[in-house]
Amino acid sequence: MSNSTQQLFDQNQASLDRVAFKLRIAALLEANFETLRSELSTMAASTPHYCLLIGAALINELKELSPEYAGEKRRLIGFFMSRSLKNIDPMVQEAS
């Protein structure tokens, strides 16, 4: 492939990745509490870095909402972000 074709492919892939991320955020915002808990639990255990990214994006989306409406979801997201950080630490130690 030529350089310009490869750059175009890379740009398209990056765009697709951004769209997929935004769709994932939208789906999790619409999810009920148990589904959100289950999804974040799986992410925190298997892909803690991704869970942190998703968690930060979710918190950012929920920041304008009232504590009565989004408080429980914020606490849940914070819990799994904290768990993700704990899961990253052993991974870093293994790599050393």
Side-chain angles (χ1 to χ4, degrees):
M1 252 191 280
S2 70
N3 240 1
S4 60
T5 305
Q6 184 61 44
Q7 285 178 330
L8 184 60
F9 177 76
D10 291 344
Q11 289 172 352
N12 283 341
Q13 187 59 48
S15 294
L16 288 173
D17 291 345
R18 284 191 297 274
V19 169
F21 185 81
K22 288 179 182 180
L23 287 173
R24 183 80 169 131
I25 296 300
L28 290 172
L29 286 170
E30 293 295 320
N32 66 37
F33 191 81
E34 283 303 310
T35 302
L36 180 62
R37 184 196 60 74
S38 176
E39 292 290 322
L40 290 174
S41 176
T42 302
M43 270 190 269
S46 61
T47 54
H49 293 86
Y50 188 65
C51 186
L52 289 171
L53 286 171
I54 291 284
L58 289 170
I59 292 289
N60 191 46
E61 292 293 325
L62 294 172
K63 73 181 177 186
E64 300 297 324
L65 300 176
S66 70
E68 295 82 26
Y69 177 75
E72 286 296 313
K73 282 190 174 184
R74 282 192 204 112
R75 282 189 285 284
L76 180 72
I77 294 163
F79 172 79
F80 283 109
M81 288 176 76
S82 177
R83 181 170 283 178
S84 293
L85 288 171
K86 290 176 185 174
N87 289 340
I88 288 173
D89 187 42
M91 290 178 178
V92 171
Q93 290 176 0
E94 287 176 14
S96 298

